[in-house]
Structure formats: structure tokens, C-alpha cells
Amino acid sequence: MAKPKLKNLPDLSHLAVPGQEISLRVTPKAARTSLIATAEGLRMTVTTVPENGKANAAVRHVLAAAMGVAQTRLNLIRGQTAR
């Protein structure tokens, strides 16, 4: 899997708290990868397709880069088969 290009990511280091649950709305198969912090929560678009966990891996990569933590420190609780 090619790693998504990371440009203009917001600083989410304040969310890097152990045990914190983050609500994230993801749209796979988008034109470009982006991460936007809104009043309702975080919205992310990734260019990868939702097959065999590729989109989930891209989400972990982008979110870890924005938070400044390792990808292995993030756990996906829900969203394996749906948004």
C-alpha cells in the first residue's frame, strides 16, 4: 500500500491522550486525502479503497501523523465494515 501524501494536516497533538476515544467520519475513495476538524468532530477523506483494510490503514497513518504518535498506538474500535 502506498502511503498517502500528508499536506496541511491540523495539529491534533492535544488529542493524544491514552484512553481517549475520538469520533471520526471517514470517506474512502476520495479525490485527495484530507483531515478537517469541525464543530461536530473530525472528518477525513482518503484516496484508498475500502478493501481488505486498506482505507483503515490509511486512516491510521494520517491520524497518527496529525497527532504526532506512532500508528501502533491507535486502535480502531468501530468502522471495520462501515463508516
Side-chain angles (χ1 to χ4, degrees), residues 52-72:
N52 301 324
K54 292 178 185 177
N56 291 335
V59 167
R60 285 177 56 155
H61 177 74
V62 173
L63 194 57
M67 293 175 69
V69 298
Q71 293 181 39
T72 56

Side-chain angles (χ1 to χ4, degrees), residues 20-26 44 52-61 63 70-83:
Q20 171 104 12
E21 285 191 22
I22 301 168
S23 176
L24 179 68
R25 175 75 178 209
V26 178
M44 182 184 295
N52 301 324
K54 292 178 185 177
N56 291 335
V59 167
R60 285 177 56 155
H61 177 74
L63 194 57
Q71 293 181 39
T72 56
R73 305 282 294 175
L74 300 175
N75 292 326
L76 183 64
I77 297 173
R78 288 180 292 275
Q80 292 288 349
T81 58
R83 293 183 183 183

Side-chain angles (χ1 to χ4, degrees), residues 29-46:
K29 220 173 153 185
R32 66 177 152 245
T33 298
S34 67
L35 178 62
I36 302 167
T38 63
E40 294 85 30
L42 297 174
R43 294 187 58 90
M44 182 184 295
T45 59
V46 290

